[in-house]
Amino acid sequence: CWYHQYEFARGVFSNYMIAALWLRSQLAPHEYDVVDRYINKMYDKFLRPIELKTQDQGIYQMANGGLSILIYASWMKDKELAAEEIHFRFKELNRLIFSDGYIDNNSFRGGRGQWYHSYGVNIALGYVYIAKLWGAEVPEKVQSKLVNSAKVVNLAITNPDKFADRKNPNGLARNRITNKNSARPHTHQIAIAIDTLMEIVVGIELEHDPKYLQLRKFHTPDGTDDLIGFNPNCVK
């Protein structure tokens, strides 16, 4: 899948930039120059083309590249770029999340609707957390939608049939999963600390999801959530 190749390359590069930020003070001048040239070259290839560009549907890895742009802005110490990105991304979150908390595309992926909904909520909450660190104020409408999105995460756990009854006003998602053998009826396991993000950002406790709790154990040893670039459990 060409898009997944691009998306994953973008995600790996984002985590490279995070590592570079952590190591910046330890880099010798010639090392810094090498890393800086590489970061700018990769940014020009993978991220600059999507700056302030809308994505038709869905909230996916690194907030559709928004978190990646904030990471780059941090490396470059570019507050203007960060401000433009946050302003744009809040409008995107408002566009992509319906008033009742369902997410266009994510929540309507058929047998993986719950899986991708929680995936999108985790990323949206992670983005908002980072935006606040930049000093941003979350628009009330966006905050309200995030609260409802978190409630929908819980609805999918406690009443999956009711969760699935919601119809996408934009029609059937072209990437919906119809094969029951491919279903993922649980919270997304790579969202290793969605419970922490829900409590911090919207004040909602995640319902007990035994399958999710079992599967996330395989990912928590990684130490970070690659979907958002940090481990929310480290900020409690």
Side-chain angles (χ1 to χ4, degrees), residues 142-153:
V142 172
Q143 183 69 18
S144 175
K145 289 184 175 185
L146 291 173
V147 169
N148 289 337
S149 281
K151 291 179 179 177
V152 174
V153 170

Side-chain angles (χ1 to χ4, degrees), residues 25 36 87 108 145 182 201 233:
S25 64
D36 185 61
H87 178 71
F108 306 98
K145 289 184 175 185
S182 299
V201 180
N233 288 327

Side-chain angles (χ1 to χ4, degrees), residues 90-169:
F90 280 164
K91 290 196 298 183
E92 282 294 279
L93 293 178
N94 185 54
R95 179 177 68 86
L96 293 167
I97 304 174
F98 299 123
S99 59
D100 61 0
Y102 282 76
I103 303 173
D104 189 11
N105 191 263
N106 290 67
S107 309
F108 306 98
R109 297 284 299 269
R112 295 190 184 183
Q114 176 184 8
W115 202 58
Y116 278 116
H117 175 81
S118 57
Y119 179 101
V121 172
N122 177 69
I123 293 167
L125 295 176
Y127 184 91
V128 166
Y129 179 83
I130 295 298
K132 286 181 175 180
L133 293 181
W134 281 93
E137 292 186 13
V138 185
E140 289 185 13
K141 196 169 185 180
V142 172
Q143 183 69 18
S144 175
K145 289 184 175 185
L146 291 173
V147 169
N148 289 337
S149 281
K151 291 179 179 177
V152 174
V153 170
N154 284 338
L155 174 65
I157 296 170
T158 60
N159 195 338
D161 290 336
K162 186 175 181 180
F163 165 79
D165 279 345
R166 172 70 153 87
K167 304 303 180 186
N168 188 350

